[in-house]
Amino acid sequence: MSDLDPDALLGFDRDHVWHPYSSALVPSEPYLVESADGVRLRVRDRGGDVREVLDAMSSWWCAVHGYRVPELDAAVTDQLGRMAHVMFGGLTHEPAVALSRRLLDLAPAGMERVFLADSGSVSVEVAMKAALQYHLAAGRRRTRFLTIRGGYHGDTFSPMSVTDPVGGMHSLFRGVLPEHVFAPRPPAGVDRPADDPELRAWAEETTALFAAHADDVAAVVVEPVLQGAGGMYAYSPHVLDVLHDLARRHGALVVHDEIATGFHRTGPRWAGDRAETPPDILCVGKALTGGYLTLAAMLCSREVAEGVSRGEAGALMHGPTFMGNPLACAVAVANLDLLASRDTAGEVARVERALVDGLAPATSLGSVADVRTLGAVGVVQLHEPVHTAEVTAAALERGVWVRPFRDVVYTMPPYVTSDTDLATLTAGLVGAVAAVHG
Ligand SMILES: *Cc1c(COP(=O)(O)O)cnc(C)c1O
């Protein structure tokens, strides 16, 4: 068996390799991708032919500039010539300092300290740990977090504990997962005004819930405005204003998880910029390295950083082996420079217009319940769960790589996707939904 033989690769993969949320009994039958360039992946189809297809997913929100980006390739290569990695305990280096400086320049008001983590989930772990330590240091034993239903914050245990209880399969992990406080999911719609009756009813219920747990809640943890893996669900920024206000009133911190929404994906640089006040803690990840390497960060205010450090432990108790990995930091710096060198907000607005136009025909399909767009994110929601394998195959035939989940077929393409490619991409998605679901 040659490792280069595609059928042998796929056979070994099927028998021995776990994929995300996959079963060993019903294999997920992944497609073999050979390479990627610009906004296209070279994917081997079921017939064995290699096709160039448009990437509708940006590799799960990450590849905002597409693939084999000369500036990012160069950043990795240059850094390789110095060092790939070195421990961060007792040592520091230019890529980590340069990245932290840029992140603080871009961050919402008040952020003052950066913790570099190796994945989004770890950054949420660190944010939750910092919130606990902050209160402990002040003599308050607050051990619970408040969030809204429908969220997603990662797959390790603490982030999973604030992820939607149903979507996150909390029943499966009962007894192991800490039980936090879940407010109802806010009413859908970004444009809902503050005095909207449904929003006010939501606020009343949440106010009562918060009051009932006021002495226990260390922090509010939310994905601002757009819940991603929880269903691509958008809500009004006034919801954030309510949560921020309750948190201040009850002495809890506010954590914004912008791992998916950061760096202009929904329009503004941070989705939370639409709220009246900034968070105390911010988590970023995904697009941070332009999709090159795994890296995330937790940023916090001076008050949080100093509060944590005044405690009995005298330190924030976390330190991953690959913390501040120089290769990842170097490519993240190049990514942020590239985003800054372009009219990224304008680019996202252009992508948004193309998604609105291109996905509009889906509204007339019988299988479609809702079509919505927020920034460079387009969602086609069906009345029933998506036949994922069939829709993926039908989209591939139309030249598009997409990975639907639950009842949504969605796209968050690289920002650099041209209008012509966006027209092909949206037509491919709508055509695939029509062909499979009608
Ligand atoms: C993806 C995601 C995470 C987890 O990030 P990983 O890098 O997969 O650990 C956390 N929060 C949100 C909002 C995400 O979209």
Side-chain angles (χ1 to χ4, degrees):
M1 176 187 121
S2 156
D3 266 357
L4 299 175
D5 171 30
D7 291 318
L9 287 175
L10 288 169
F12 194 89
D13 183 288
R14 184 187 54 237
D15 293 341
H16 300 289
V17 181
W18 286 115
H19 283 265
Y21 306 100
S22 69
S23 161
L25 298 175
V26 187
S28 57
E29 310 247 18
Y31 292 87
L32 189 62
V33 56
E34 295 197 338
S35 60
D37 196 3
V39 295
R40 288 176 167 73
L41 310 179
R42 284 169 58 81
V43 178
R44 190 169 173 271
D45 68 18
R46 297 290 188 225
D49 295 325
V50 175
R51 310 175 60 120
E52 290 208 347
V53 296
L54 288 164
D55 178 17
M57 309 305 291
S58 295
S59 284
W60 277 339
W61 312 85
C62 298
V64 288
H65 310 287
Y67 302 87
R68 296 192 56 204
V69 184
E71 292 88 341
L72 304 189
D73 284 4
V76 176
T77 314
D78 289 353
Q79 184 56 39
L80 261 181
R82 285 186 282 276
M83 61 191 168
H85 182 66
V86 51
M87 65 190 279
F88 210 50
L91 294 173
T92 194
H93 45 76
E94 200 239 323
V97 176
L99 174 59
S100 301
R101 187 189 295 259
R102 277 171 182 72
L103 278 175
L104 291 174
D105 281 348
L106 298 174
M111 296 294 116
E112 190 162 305
R113 202 161 271 269
V114 181
F115 186 102
L116 297 166
D118 24 15
S119 74
S121 301
V122 172
S123 74
V124 176
E125 293 276 359
V126 174
M128 292 172 74
K129 200 183 261 189
L132 288 175
Q133 282 196 245
Y134 169 81
H135 288 291
L136 274 178
R140 294 184 295 268
R141 194 161 177 83
R142 291 186 174 217
T143 56
R144 300 181 84 185
F145 292 86
L146 185 140
T147 185
I148 53 180
R149 285 182 183 266
Y152 175 79
H153 297 284
D155 288 343
T156 58
F157 275 91
S158 303
M160 191 167 57
S161 71
V162 285
T163 287
D164 185 71
V166 180
M169 297 283 287
H170 284 207
S171 55
L172 186 64
F173 301 105
R174 186 167 295 134
V176 182
L177 273 190
E179 292 187 8
H180 296 307
V181 184
F182 287 87
R185 188 173 232 186
V190 186
D191 298 328
R192 235 173 241 274
D195 60 359
D196 171 85
E198 278 181 66
L199 205 152
R200 295 187 61 161
W202 173 87
E204 262 171 47
E205 205 174 323
T206 302
T207 300
L209 182 75
F210 211 135
H213 297 281
D215 296 338
D216 293 337
V217 175
V220 171
V221 183
V222 280
E223 294 158 277
V225 181
L226 180 70
Q227 295 181 313
M232 310 300 290
Y233 184 93
Y235 64 84
S236 163
H238 295 300
V239 164
L240 297 173
D241 296 334
V242 170
L243 290 170
H244 288 199
D245 180 53
L246 290 170
R248 302 283 178 261
R249 213 186 305 163
H250 294 300
L253 299 172
V254 174
V255 180
H256 279 187
D257 176 349
E258 296 245 17
I259 291 166
T261 51
F263 308 110
H264 293 282
R265 179 50 78 176
T266 72
R269 182 184 295 140
W270 309 109
D273 287 350
R274 296 176 176 92
E276 280 170 11
T277 52
D280 303 291
I281 299 178
L282 175 74
C283 293
V284 302
K286 290 204 161 101
L288 177 59
T289 64
Y292 270 56
L293 286 160
T294 177
L295 186 70
M298 188 261 334
L299 284 69
C300 67
S301 66
R302 176 201 291 255
E303 190 193 334
V304 171
E306 292 185 352
V308 164
S309 310
R310 266 187 224 109
E312 185 190 334
L316 177 57
M317 295 307 289
H318 213 94
T321 305
F322 280 89
M323 187 167 180
N325 175 256
L327 278 180
C329 290
V331 74
V333 168
N335 169 49
L336 298 184
D337 286 350
L338 199 52
L339 285 171
S341 74
R342 295 190 180 148
D343 174 19
T344 299
E347 232 169 26
V348 168
R350 176 187 61 80
V351 173
E352 178 170 31
R353 284 192 298 274
L355 293 179
V356 169
D357 291 348
L359 295 177
T363 48
S364 60
L365 297 177
S367 62
V368 172
D370 187 40
V371 178
R372 52 186 182 267
T373 302
L374 184 67
V377 183
V379 185
V380 177
Q381 185 162 15
L382 308 191
H383 290 294
E384 57 181 353
V386 182
H387 301 315
T388 298
E390 288 83 349
V391 170
T392 300
L396 213 58
E397 270 172 35
R398 290 163 174 79
V400 182
W401 169 249
V402 69
R403 183 84 184 148
F405 73 105
R406 288 197 223 155
D407 59 350
V408 290
V409 179
Y410 66 112
T411 175
M412 56 294 198
Y415 299 163
V416 296
T417 312
S418 72
D419 285 341
T420 315
D421 283 341
L422 286 167
T424 307
L425 188 155
T426 48
L429 295 191
V430 177
V433 170
V436 175
H437 288 271

